[in-house]
Amino acid sequence: MSAIMQGLTAVIQPMTIVLVAIGVAVGIVFGSIPGLTATMAIVMFLPVTYSMTASEGISMLMALYIGGISGGLISAILLNIPGTPSSVATCFDGKPLADKGQAGKALAVGVIFSFLGTIIGIGLLVVLAPVLCDFALKFQAYEYCALAVFSLSMVIALTGRDMPKGLISAVMGALLATVGLAPIDSRPRFTFGLYQLNNGFALVVLLIGLFAISEVMKYAETVRQKQDFTIRENVKIKGVGITFKEFIGQIPNAIVSALIGVGIGILPGIGGGVSCMISYTVSKNTSKRRDLYGTGIIDGVVASETANNGTIGGAMIPLLSLGIPGDAATAMLLGGLQVHNVAPGPLIYQKSGDVVYAIFFAMVLAAIFMMLFMLLGMRFFVTVLKVPKNFLLPVVVVLCAIGAIGNANMLFDTYTMVAFGLMSYLLIKSKIPTVPMILGFILGPTFEQNLRRVSQLASSDPFWHHPIFCVLIAATVLVVIFSVRANIKDAKRAEAKEAAELAENGEQ
Amino acid sequence: MKNKQYKLDIAPGVVLALFSILYLARVPSIQEFTGLGSTPLTNRFVPYLWGSVLLLLSLWITVRGLRKRKRYLAEGGKPQKTDILGALKERWEVVASFVALALYVGFMDLLGFVITTIVYVFVQILILTPKEKWKKTYLPAVIVSVVSGILLFYVFRYLLNVLLPVGLLSVFGL
């Protein structure tokens, strides 16, 4: 009980409330501008939190995350360009609604159901995280080893048709994690005599390179392309935007979508981008009005926005209880937790209970601020869409460099930041996804440490004494078999389609 | 025709295969620990594992790319020349951004955060602006770069205690 009170007290401090409000506002701005993401907002503000208390700093990062995911709907509806990948499916009905002159309604629906999705996600996080923590307390070397293998196997399930490239990314992450002192015996590996590499590469620096620097470079590619879109500035939200009847009518859709969002958030490596698409598809396929999806009905906006915000709570569940991030933004939050000496895992409630409860309260506060800011200040956020990125991005890079330096007060980290940025850009150009790399980087050391312990224990404590290990390994085998089959089918289908297109072109 | 994209398999496949071979070649230089408390799987096992898996995956996509190329040529496609210089010229903004960033972090220790940031932000703004708009951009770019360089230095070094390098400005007793 005292931890709950401590968490609440930390969040209701005027300073924390102000930080959460700033975090939400900046997050919405970053979410709404296409090309800037929630992850980038967290990267930018990470160095700002270095000198704060853990509760203040992480509350602010959470606010940035919630604001960032929610802000994406603004450009999705007004520009037909999703501000973040999480709002891809919001375009499908948001844009047609805007074309019908109902942009205000679409935005209001998006905001309200984003709030609802966030709250449902937080509710499930509060309920499920301690359960998972209690369960994970039973984990020993065998179980952790199998958990790492299972989580890595999810990469195969998620990379779709191009499985080898997804795996390459994950393995590269694991490979990068071998730099530094080896687990258990602390012998240096691949340090090339540089003392700066003894602790290995910092997660935060890798994330900055992968998700911030590469974004700036991607923008640099488009400098000469004309940005051909118009912003609807004349957006009015009347009252709360929708009628009570409409709201009640959407509740079942919202609940299913939120549950899909939370479920997908829990799975390692998948973010809001996937959850909004799956939720939109499920909502469409189960609806009586399925023919109207895509023509501008609020059901589509509700499905997408509730799910992507539900993902926030879902992604926090494995992050807090197992230390496994759900997506790129939560990987950044993991970096934030590490900076503030909060170790996620089954003992987090015992060791940093106050911070965990502060995170929960801060998430609720951030969700409330998000709804208020977006309903009342939509005109401001619409204006922000016009901020010239050629001025904004260089400052973002400078903040990234500060974040890298401040991580361990070493200038050396900025060199690795540039190297990771270049690596990330080249990987993106080669169509190799970068998110699996984070999973590999985080899970690689867990796998190695526990695999080596298992090798020590195997003779005295065989694996069949560990049912959780056996279940996780069986689940891994099933995931691999089904994913490989699905990938092969997808690849064949795509090849057949290509061949058909080719034949068609030949006939013409 | 998607088969044209065979290069997206061959080029990364070859580079990553070479990288994994270099990585695997370094593994024997890791000092093994065999004393009390050592584990049967040594500190070389996992690097060997990841290095080998990466090599296999790289070879996989290389072979896949070569097969795509073969099919592409069999379908009457013309072999594509690799014009690295042309590609770099086409993306000069990206190349310039990386060079500017590398110089920025490379000179930060010597020149200090403020000077390098002012120069970097100014140059990067110009890189990210179409050439025809440069004339109008000079003044706002100078203002943004000077304000951000000085403001960020003071906020982070003196208010948030991040040890940003002072460099040349140390003569002013900063």
Side-chain angles (χ1 to χ4, degrees), chain A residues 37-49:
Chain A
T37 58
T39 315
M40 223 187 214
I42 301 172
V43 169
M44 247 183 79
F45 273 76
L46 193 66
V48 179
T49 70

Side-chain angles (χ1 to χ4, degrees), chain B residues 26-119:
Chain B
R26 291 286 307 178
V27 177
S29 65
I30 298 170
Q31 201 185 355
E32 278 184 311
F33 174 69
T34 47
L36 193 68
S38 62
T39 51
L41 293 180
T42 68
N43 52 18
R44 290 182 190 173
F45 177 78
V46 166
Y48 270 130
L49 176 73
W50 294 137
S52 312
V53 174
L54 185 64
L55 181 60
L56 287 175
L57 289 167
S58 314
L59 292 175
W60 180 356
I61 62 166
T62 310
V63 171
R64 189 176 72 176
L66 289 171
R67 282 173 60 186
K68 275 185 191 172
R69 185 176 181 273
K70 200 175 160 190
R71 210 181 319 152
Y72 170 69
L73 294 176
E75 283 163 0
K78 286 178 186 169
Q80 294 168 299
K81 279 183 186 170
T82 307
D83 181 13
I84 295 178
L85 267 180
L88 290 177
K89 260 188 189 172
E90 181 62 30
R91 294 177 182 81
W92 77 265
E93 290 94 345
V94 179
V95 178
S97 295
F98 270 118
V99 171
L101 184 57
L103 292 173
Y104 172 48
V105 299
F107 282 100
M108 198 186 283
D109 200 23
L110 179 72
L111 301 176
F113 178 83
V114 178
I115 295 171
T116 45
T117 301
I118 290 173
V119 176

